[in-house]
Each structure stands twice: as structure tokens, then as C-alpha cells.
Amino acid sequence: MKLLYFAWLREKTGVQNEDVSIPDGVSTVADLIKWQISRGGGYAEAFADTSLIRVAVNQEHVSFEHTVDHKDEIAFFPPMTGG
């Protein structure tokens, strides 16, 4: 699975993108976020407040209940503002 991090999520995790093998039991975006938190350090800090996180799976905005697959590209980013 390819994970992409944008804005302050990238700063807190310390990575722009990474390829990971997700553990068994991770089947939704919510599960993936819980796993990210369990990684500790900057990941735990970046994903501590999920109300500040938006996600796209394969470049489509989705909810945290959306299912994920090991072949997916998952992007995490803060809410966008208009202007």
C-alpha cells in the first residue's frame, strides 16, 4: 500500500510517502488510522485528532468507513479551505 502525507501530516510523520505492508485486520480507513497511531512517534501525533484529517483512496475522497486494499494509494491531508 502506498501512503501519502500532505501539509502538517507530512511534517509530523517525517515522511512524504511510503510503501507499507498493512497487518491483517486492517480493512478500513479507520483501521488504517488506528494502525498508524500504534506506530508511535510522529504517526501517533499526526493521527491523534481524526477530526482534522481527510483521506482519499486512489484519488477519491472517502469516509473513514471506506474499505482499503493492499494495492491502494491512500492520501492523508488536512481539511481544505476555500478562498
Side-chain angles (χ1 to χ4, degrees):
M1 176 178 289
K2 183 159 190 92
L3 303 179
L4 309 170
Y5 306 96
F6 294 93
W8 56 262
L9 287 152
R10 176 178 48 224
E11 293 171 15
K12 290 183 183 211
T13 61
V15 294
Q16 181 173 345
N17 61 69
E18 61 184 335
D19 292 311
V20 298
S21 295
I22 56 172
D24 292 338
V26 174
S27 61
T28 66
V29 170
D31 294 336
L32 181 59
I33 289 173
K34 287 178 192 173
W35 176 70
Q36 291 281 61
I37 292 169
S38 77
R39 296 174 75 186
Y43 293 100
E45 185 180 342
F47 291 93
D49 186 351
T50 56
S51 70
L52 300 175
I53 299 171
R54 301 298 177 265
V55 64
V57 175
N58 300 322
Q59 300 181 9
E60 181 179 323
H61 290 240
V62 299
S63 72
F64 288 180
E65 291 78 35
H66 187 83
T67 58
V68 296
D69 183 84
H70 70 278
K71 297 174 283 184
D72 288 335
E73 176 187 84
I74 315 290
F76 297 102
F77 50 92
M80 294 177 263
T81 59

Short mmCIF file of all heavy atoms in Angstrom, two decimals, residues 15-65:
data_model
loop_
_atom_site.label_atom_id
_atom_site.label_comp_id
_atom_site.label_asym_id
_atom_site.label_seq_id
_atom_site.Cartn_x
_atom_site.Cartn_y
_atom_site.Cartn_z
N VAL A 15 7.67 11.95 6.85
CA VAL A 15 7.79 11.34 5.52
C VAL A 15 6.75 11.93 4.58
O VAL A 15 5.67 12.32 5.00
CB VAL A 15 7.63 9.80 5.56
CG1 VAL A 15 8.77 9.16 6.30
CG2 VAL A 15 6.31 9.39 6.14
N GLN A 16 7.11 11.98 3.31
CA GLN A 16 6.18 12.47 2.29
C GLN A 16 5.31 11.33 1.77
O GLN A 16 4.12 11.49 1.56
CB GLN A 16 6.95 13.09 1.13
CG GLN A 16 6.05 13.64 0.04
CD GLN A 16 6.84 14.39 -1.01
OE1 GLN A 16 8.00 14.74 -0.83
NE2 GLN A 16 6.22 14.64 -2.13
N ASN A 17 5.94 10.17 1.57
CA ASN A 17 5.20 8.99 1.12
C ASN A 17 5.99 7.76 1.51
O ASN A 17 7.19 7.84 1.79
CB ASN A 17 4.93 9.02 -0.38
CG ASN A 17 6.19 9.04 -1.19
OD1 ASN A 17 6.93 8.07 -1.24
ND2 ASN A 17 6.47 10.17 -1.85
N GLU A 18 5.28 6.64 1.56
CA GLU A 18 5.94 5.38 1.90
C GLU A 18 5.10 4.22 1.41
O GLU A 18 3.89 4.33 1.24
CB GLU A 18 6.17 5.26 3.41
CG GLU A 18 4.91 5.29 4.24
CD GLU A 18 5.19 5.27 5.74
OE1 GLU A 18 6.25 4.77 6.16
OE2 GLU A 18 4.32 5.74 6.49
N ASP A 19 5.77 3.12 1.15
CA ASP A 19 5.12 1.87 0.80
C ASP A 19 5.14 1.00 2.05
O ASP A 19 6.21 0.79 2.65
CB ASP A 19 5.84 1.17 -0.35
CG ASP A 19 5.71 1.95 -1.65
OD1 ASP A 19 4.58 2.33 -2.01
OD2 ASP A 19 6.74 2.18 -2.30
N VAL A 20 3.97 0.52 2.46
CA VAL A 20 3.87 -0.29 3.68
C VAL A 20 3.10 -1.57 3.40
O VAL A 20 2.29 -1.64 2.48
CB VAL A 20 3.18 0.49 4.82
CG1 VAL A 20 3.96 1.72 5.20
CG2 VAL A 20 1.76 0.85 4.47
N SER A 21 3.37 -2.55 4.21
CA SER A 21 2.57 -3.78 4.24
C SER A 21 1.68 -3.66 5.46
O SER A 21 2.18 -3.61 6.60
CB SER A 21 3.47 -5.00 4.35
OG SER A 21 4.26 -5.13 3.21
N ILE A 22 0.39 -3.62 5.24
CA ILE A 22 -0.52 -3.46 6.37
C ILE A 22 -0.76 -4.81 7.04
O ILE A 22 -0.76 -5.85 6.39
CB ILE A 22 -1.85 -2.81 5.93
CG1 ILE A 22 -2.52 -3.61 4.81
CG2 ILE A 22 -1.65 -1.37 5.53
CD1 ILE A 22 -3.92 -3.14 4.47
N PRO A 23 -0.95 -4.80 8.36
CA PRO A 23 -1.18 -6.06 9.07
C PRO A 23 -2.59 -6.60 8.81
O PRO A 23 -3.48 -5.85 8.39
CB PRO A 23 -1.00 -5.67 10.53
CG PRO A 23 -1.19 -4.20 10.60
CD PRO A 23 -0.84 -3.65 9.24
N ASP A 24 -2.76 -7.89 9.07
CA ASP A 24 -4.08 -8.49 8.98
C ASP A 24 -5.03 -7.73 9.91
O ASP A 24 -4.62 -7.26 10.97
CB ASP A 24 -4.04 -9.96 9.40
CG ASP A 24 -3.28 -10.82 8.40
OD1 ASP A 24 -3.15 -10.41 7.23
OD2 ASP A 24 -2.81 -11.90 8.81
N GLY A 25 -6.26 -7.62 9.51
CA GLY A 25 -7.25 -6.93 10.33
C GLY A 25 -7.46 -5.48 9.95
O GLY A 25 -8.40 -4.85 10.40
N VAL A 26 -6.58 -4.93 9.12
CA VAL A 26 -6.76 -3.56 8.64
C VAL A 26 -7.57 -3.63 7.36
O VAL A 26 -7.07 -4.04 6.32
CB VAL A 26 -5.41 -2.85 8.40
CG1 VAL A 26 -5.63 -1.49 7.77
CG2 VAL A 26 -4.65 -2.71 9.70
N SER A 27 -8.85 -3.25 7.46
CA SER A 27 -9.73 -3.37 6.29
C SER A 27 -10.43 -2.07 5.91
O SER A 27 -11.01 -1.98 4.85
CB SER A 27 -10.76 -4.47 6.51
OG SER A 27 -11.58 -4.18 7.62
N THR A 28 -10.37 -1.06 6.79
CA THR A 28 -11.00 0.23 6.51
C THR A 28 -10.00 1.35 6.77
O THR A 28 -8.94 1.13 7.39
CB THR A 28 -12.23 0.47 7.41
OG1 THR A 28 -11.78 0.59 8.77
CG2 THR A 28 -13.26 -0.63 7.28
N VAL A 29 -10.36 2.54 6.33
CA VAL A 29 -9.52 3.71 6.62
C VAL A 29 -9.37 3.88 8.13
O VAL A 29 -8.28 4.16 8.63
CB VAL A 29 -10.11 4.98 5.96
CG1 VAL A 29 -9.40 6.22 6.45
CG2 VAL A 29 -10.04 4.87 4.44
N ALA A 30 -10.46 3.69 8.87
CA ALA A 30 -10.40 3.82 10.33
C ALA A 30 -9.40 2.84 10.93
O ALA A 30 -8.62 3.20 11.82
CB ALA A 30 -11.78 3.61 10.94
N ASP A 31 -9.41 1.60 10.44
CA ASP A 31 -8.43 0.60 10.90
C ASP A 31 -7.01 1.06 10.58
O ASP A 31 -6.10 0.89 11.39
CB ASP A 31 -8.67 -0.75 10.23
CG ASP A 31 -9.96 -1.41 10.61
OD1 ASP A 31 -10.51 -1.12 11.69
OD2 ASP A 31 -10.44 -2.24 9.80
N LEU A 32 -6.83 1.61 9.39
CA LEU A 32 -5.52 2.07 8.97
C LEU A 32 -5.03 3.20 9.88
O LEU A 32 -3.86 3.23 10.28
CB LEU A 32 -5.56 2.54 7.51
CG LEU A 32 -4.26 3.02 6.90
CD1 LEU A 32 -3.19 1.93 6.93
CD2 LEU A 32 -4.50 3.48 5.46
N ILE A 33 -5.91 4.10 10.24
CA ILE A 33 -5.55 5.20 11.14
C ILE A 33 -5.17 4.65 12.52
O ILE A 33 -4.18 5.08 13.11
CB ILE A 33 -6.67 6.25 11.22
CG1 ILE A 33 -6.73 7.01 9.89
CG2 ILE A 33 -6.46 7.20 12.39
CD1 ILE A 33 -7.90 7.96 9.75
N LYS A 34 -5.92 3.68 13.03
CA LYS A 34 -5.57 3.07 14.31
C LYS A 34 -4.18 2.43 14.24
O LYS A 34 -3.39 2.54 15.18
CB LYS A 34 -6.60 2.01 14.70
CG LYS A 34 -7.91 2.59 15.16
CD LYS A 34 -8.90 1.48 15.48
CE LYS A 34 -10.29 2.04 15.66
NZ LYS A 34 -11.29 0.99 15.80
N TRP A 35 -3.90 1.77 13.13
CA TRP A 35 -2.57 1.17 12.95
C TRP A 35 -1.50 2.25 12.90
O TRP A 35 -0.43 2.10 13.50
CB TRP A 35 -2.54 0.30 11.70
CG TRP A 35 -1.20 -0.26 11.42
CD1 TRP A 35 -0.56 -1.25 12.13
CD2 TRP A 35 -0.31 0.12 10.37
NE1 TRP A 35 0.67 -1.50 11.57
CE2 TRP A 35 0.85 -0.67 10.49
CE3 TRP A 35 -0.39 1.04 9.33
CZ2 TRP A 35 1.93 -0.56 9.62
CZ3 TRP A 35 0.68 1.15 8.46
CH2 TRP A 35 1.82 0.36 8.61
N GLN A 36 -1.79 3.35 12.20
CA GLN A 36 -0.83 4.46 12.13
C GLN A 36 -0.50 4.97 13.53
O GLN A 36 0.66 5.20 13.86
CB GLN A 36 -1.38 5.60 11.28
CG GLN A 36 -1.50 5.29 9.80
CD GLN A 36 -0.19 5.40 9.08
OE1 GLN A 36 0.76 4.69 9.39
NE2 GLN A 36 -0.13 6.28 8.12
N ILE A 37 -1.52 5.14 14.35
CA ILE A 37 -1.31 5.61 15.73
C ILE A 37 -0.44 4.63 16.50
O ILE A 37 0.46 5.03 17.26
CB ILE A 37 -2.67 5.84 16.43
CG1 ILE A 37 -3.40 7.02 15.79
CG2 ILE A 37 -2.48 6.05 17.93
CD1 ILE A 37 -4.84 7.18 16.20
N SER A 38 -0.65 3.33 16.29
CA SER A 38 0.12 2.31 17.00
C SER A 38 1.60 2.31 16.61
O SER A 38 2.43 1.77 17.34
CB SER A 38 -0.47 0.92 16.77
OG SER A 38 -0.13 0.42 15.48
N ARG A 39 1.93 2.95 15.50
CA ARG A 39 3.32 3.04 15.06
C ARG A 39 4.12 3.98 15.95
O ARG A 39 5.35 3.99 15.93
CB ARG A 39 3.40 3.49 13.61
CG ARG A 39 2.77 2.48 12.65
CD ARG A 39 2.70 2.98 11.24
NE ARG A 39 4.03 2.94 10.61
CZ ARG A 39 4.28 3.43 9.40
NH1 ARG A 39 3.32 3.99 8.69
NH2 ARG A 39 5.50 3.35 8.90
N GLY A 40 3.40 4.81 16.72
CA GLY A 40 4.04 5.69 17.69
C GLY A 40 4.68 6.92 17.08
O GLY A 40 4.52 7.22 15.89
N GLY A 41 5.41 7.66 17.90
CA GLY A 41 6.15 8.85 17.47
C GLY A 41 5.30 9.85 16.71
O GLY A 41 4.19 10.19 17.12
N GLY A 42 5.84 10.33 15.60
CA GLY A 42 5.15 11.32 14.79
C GLY A 42 3.85 10.83 14.21
O GLY A 42 2.94 11.61 13.97
N TYR A 43 3.74 9.52 13.99
CA TYR A 43 2.48 8.97 13.47
C TYR A 43 1.37 9.13 14.50
O TYR A 43 0.26 9.55 14.17
CB TYR A 43 2.65 7.50 13.10
CG TYR A 43 3.57 7.27 11.94
CD1 TYR A 43 4.89 6.88 12.15
CD2 TYR A 43 3.13 7.45 10.63
CE1 TYR A 43 5.75 6.69 11.08
CE2 TYR A 43 3.99 7.26 9.56
CZ TYR A 43 5.30 6.88 9.79
OH TYR A 43 6.15 6.68 8.73
N ALA A 44 1.66 8.78 15.75
CA ALA A 44 0.66 8.93 16.81
C ALA A 44 0.25 10.39 16.95
O ALA A 44 -0.95 10.69 17.13
CB ALA A 44 1.22 8.40 18.13
N GLU A 45 1.20 11.29 16.85
CA GLU A 45 0.90 12.72 16.96
C GLU A 45 0.07 13.19 15.76
O GLU A 45 -0.92 13.91 15.92
CB GLU A 45 2.20 13.51 17.03
CG GLU A 45 2.01 14.99 17.26
CD GLU A 45 3.32 15.75 17.32
OE1 GLU A 45 4.38 15.14 17.53
OE2 GLU A 45 3.26 16.98 17.15
N ALA A 46 0.43 12.78 14.56
CA ALA A 46 -0.27 13.22 13.36
C ALA A 46 -1.72 12.75 13.32
O ALA A 46 -2.60 13.47 12.85
CB ALA A 46 0.47 12.73 12.11
N PHE A 47 -1.97 11.54 13.82
CA PHE A 47 -3.31 10.97 13.72
C PHE A 47 -4.11 11.03 15.01
O PHE A 47 -5.16 10.41 15.13
CB PHE A 47 -3.20 9.52 13.21
CG PHE A 47 -2.75 9.45 11.79
CD1 PHE A 47 -1.41 9.32 11.47
CD2 PHE A 47 -3.67 9.55 10.75
CE1 PHE A 47 -0.99 9.27 10.15
CE2 PHE A 47 -3.26 9.51 9.43
CZ PHE A 47 -1.92 9.37 9.13
N ALA A 48 -3.64 11.80 15.98
CA ALA A 48 -4.30 11.89 17.28
C ALA A 48 -5.70 12.47 17.20
O ALA A 48 -6.61 12.02 17.91
CB ALA A 48 -3.44 12.70 18.25
N ASP A 49 -5.92 13.45 16.35
CA ASP A 49 -7.23 14.10 16.24
C ASP A 49 -7.77 13.86 14.82
O ASP A 49 -7.46 14.62 13.90
CB ASP A 49 -7.11 15.59 16.52
CG ASP A 49 -8.47 16.29 16.56
OD1 ASP A 49 -9.50 15.67 16.21
OD2 ASP A 49 -8.49 17.48 16.93
N THR A 50 -8.58 12.84 14.68
CA THR A 50 -9.07 12.47 13.34
C THR A 50 -10.03 13.50 12.76
O THR A 50 -10.27 13.48 11.56
CB THR A 50 -9.74 11.09 13.35
OG1 THR A 50 -10.80 11.08 14.31
CG2 THR A 50 -8.73 10.01 13.69
N SER A 51 -10.56 14.40 13.58
CA SER A 51 -11.45 15.43 13.04
C SER A 51 -10.69 16.39 12.14
O SER A 51 -11.29 17.14 11.36
CB SER A 51 -12.15 16.19 14.16
OG SER A 51 -11.22 17.02 14.87
N LEU A 52 -9.35 16.37 12.23
CA LEU A 52 -8.51 17.26 11.43
C LEU A 52 -7.92 16.57 10.21
O LEU A 52 -7.05 17.13 9.54
CB LEU A 52 -7.37 17.81 12.29
CG LEU A 52 -7.78 18.61 13.53
CD1 LEU A 52 -6.57 18.97 14.34
CD2 LEU A 52 -8.57 19.83 13.12
N ILE A 53 -8.37 15.35 9.92
CA ILE A 53 -7.79 14.56 8.84
C ILE A 53 -8.84 14.24 7.78
O ILE A 53 -9.96 13.86 8.09
CB ILE A 53 -7.19 13.26 9.38
CG1 ILE A 53 -6.07 13.57 10.38
CG2 ILE A 53 -6.68 12.37 8.25
CD1 ILE A 53 -5.55 12.37 11.12
N ARG A 54 -8.44 14.40 6.55
CA ARG A 54 -9.24 13.97 5.40
C ARG A 54 -8.44 12.91 4.68
O ARG A 54 -7.21 12.85 4.80
CB ARG A 54 -9.56 15.14 4.46
CG ARG A 54 -10.33 16.28 5.11
CD ARG A 54 -11.70 15.81 5.62
NE ARG A 54 -12.42 16.88 6.30
CZ ARG A 54 -12.42 17.09 7.60
NH1 ARG A 54 -11.71 16.32 8.41
NH2 ARG A 54 -13.12 18.07 8.12
N VAL A 55 -9.13 12.08 3.92
CA VAL A 55 -8.44 10.96 3.26
C VAL A 55 -9.00 10.73 1.86
O VAL A 55 -10.19 10.97 1.61
CB VAL A 55 -8.55 9.67 4.12
CG1 VAL A 55 -9.98 9.22 4.26
CG2 VAL A 55 -7.69 8.57 3.58
N ALA A 56 -8.12 10.32 0.99
CA ALA A 56 -8.51 9.92 -0.37
C ALA A 56 -7.91 8.55 -0.64
O ALA A 56 -6.76 8.28 -0.29
CB ALA A 56 -8.00 10.92 -1.40
N VAL A 57 -8.72 7.69 -1.23
CA VAL A 57 -8.26 6.37 -1.65
C VAL A 57 -8.27 6.36 -3.16
O VAL A 57 -9.32 6.62 -3.78
CB VAL A 57 -9.16 5.25 -1.08
CG1 VAL A 57 -8.74 3.89 -1.63
CG2 VAL A 57 -9.10 5.25 0.45
N ASN A 58 -7.12 6.12 -3.74
CA ASN A 58 -6.97 6.14 -5.20
C ASN A 58 -7.52 7.43 -5.80
O ASN A 58 -8.27 7.42 -6.78
CB ASN A 58 -7.61 4.90 -5.81
CG ASN A 58 -6.97 3.64 -5.28
OD1 ASN A 58 -5.76 3.57 -5.08
ND2 ASN A 58 -7.78 2.62 -5.01
N GLN A 59 -7.18 8.54 -5.14
CA GLN A 59 -7.50 9.90 -5.57
C GLN A 59 -8.99 10.24 -5.52
O GLN A 59 -9.46 11.14 -6.19
CB GLN A 59 -6.93 10.17 -6.96
CG GLN A 59 -5.43 10.01 -7.00
CD GLN A 59 -4.82 10.31 -8.34
OE1 GLN A 59 -5.47 10.79 -9.26
NE2 GLN A 59 -3.54 10.03 -8.47
N GLU A 60 -9.74 9.52 -4.66
CA GLU A 60 -11.16 9.81 -4.46
C GLU A 60 -11.40 10.03 -2.97
O GLU A 60 -11.06 9.17 -2.15
CB GLU A 60 -12.01 8.63 -4.95
CG GLU A 60 -13.49 8.86 -4.80
CD GLU A 60 -14.30 7.67 -5.31
OE1 GLU A 60 -13.90 7.06 -6.32
OE2 GLU A 60 -15.32 7.37 -4.69
N HIS A 61 -11.99 11.18 -2.62
CA HIS A 61 -12.29 11.47 -1.21
C HIS A 61 -13.25 10.42 -0.68
O HIS A 61 -14.24 10.10 -1.33
CB HIS A 61 -12.92 12.85 -1.08
CG HIS A 61 -11.95 13.95 -1.35
ND1 HIS A 61 -11.65 14.91 -0.42
CD2 HIS A 61 -11.20 14.25 -2.43
CE1 HIS A 61 -10.76 15.75 -0.92
NE2 HIS A 61 -10.48 15.37 -2.14
N VAL A 62 -12.94 9.89 0.51
CA VAL A 62 -13.75 8.83 1.10
C VAL A 62 -13.92 9.07 2.60
O VAL A 62 -13.20 9.86 3.20
CB VAL A 62 -13.12 7.43 0.87
CG1 VAL A 62 -13.02 7.12 -0.62
CG2 VAL A 62 -11.77 7.31 1.55
N SER A 63 -14.84 8.32 3.20
CA SER A 63 -15.05 8.37 4.64
C SER A 63 -14.11 7.38 5.32
O SER A 63 -13.48 6.53 4.67
CB SER A 63 -16.50 8.01 4.98
OG SER A 63 -16.70 6.62 4.77
N PHE A 64 -14.06 7.44 6.63
CA PHE A 64 -13.20 6.54 7.39
C PHE A 64 -13.73 5.10 7.34
O PHE A 64 -13.00 4.17 7.67
CB PHE A 64 -13.07 7.00 8.84
CG PHE A 64 -12.22 8.24 9.01
CD1 PHE A 64 -12.03 8.75 10.27
CD2 PHE A 64 -11.61 8.89 7.96
CE1 PHE A 64 -11.25 9.87 10.49
CE2 PHE A 64 -10.84 10.01 8.15
CZ PHE A 64 -10.66 10.50 9.42
N GLU A 65 -14.96 4.89 6.94
CA GLU A 65 -15.53 3.55 6.85
C GLU A 65 -15.20 2.87 5.52
O GLU A 65 -15.47 1.68 5.34
CB GLU A 65 -17.06 3.59 7.02
CG GLU A 65 -17.51 3.95 8.43
CD GLU A 65 -17.40 5.45 8.71
OE1 GLU A 65 -17.63 6.26 7.80
OE2 GLU A 65 -17.03 5.80 9.85
#
